[in-house]
C-alpha cells in the first residue's frame, strides 16, 4: 500500500484515466465496425470524417500508436473509396 498522500491520489487518478481511455477506445472500435459493415456509399462517406476524427483523437492522446491510427485510416478510406 502507498505511504504518501500524493501516491494515493495518483492511484485513484490512474484508475479514472484508465477507465476513460478504455471507454474511448471501445467507442472508436464500435464506430470502425459500423463503418466497415456499412453497405451504402453515401452513408459511409458521411460517417468517415467522424471516425477519422475519433481515431486522430486517440492517437493524439497516446491511447493508440500513431502508426496504428494511420493504418486504420488508410484501410477505412480505401474501403469507402472502393465501394
Amino acid at each position: 500500500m502507498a505511504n504518501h498522500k500524493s501516491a494515493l491520489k495518483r492511484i485513484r487518478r490512474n484508475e479514472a484515466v484508465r477507465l476513460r481511455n478504455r471507454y474511448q477506445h471501445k467507442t472508436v472500435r464500435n464506430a470502425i465496425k459500423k463503418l466497415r459493415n456499412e453497405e451504402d456509399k453515401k452513408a459511409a462517406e458521411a460517417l468517415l470524417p467522424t471516425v477519422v476524427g475519433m481515431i486522430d483523437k486517440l492517437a493524439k492522446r497516446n491511447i493508440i500508436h500513431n502508426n496504428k491510427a494511420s493504418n486504420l485510416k488508410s484501410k477505412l478510406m480505401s474501403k469507402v473509396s472502393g465501394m
Side-chain angles (χ1 to χ4, degrees), residues 33-81:
K33 271 185 211 167
K34 184 179 175 187
L35 180 59
R36 282 186 179 144
N37 293 332
E38 189 63 56
E39 299 294 329
D40 184 33
K41 185 175 172 99
K42 286 214 183 272
E45 286 175 343
L47 190 60
L48 183 65
T50 308
V51 175
V52 167
M54 293 167 81
I55 292 170
D56 284 336
K57 192 177 281 190
L58 286 185
K60 185 174 100 176
R61 294 181 178 164
N62 290 322
I63 298 171
I64 61 173
H65 196 275
N66 286 331
N67 293 348
K68 180 180 175 75
S70 294
N71 290 335
L72 283 171
K73 291 190 298 186
S74 172
K75 289 197 173 162
L76 289 173
M77 286 181 189
S78 64
K79 180 169 176 58
V80 170
S81 67

Side-chain angles (χ1 to χ4, degrees), residues 9-19:
K9 180 178 179 182
R10 192 71 196 161
I11 290 168
R12 289 194 310 268
R13 189 178 182 293
N14 284 345
E15 181 63 14
V17 169
R18 184 184 74 84
L19 292 174

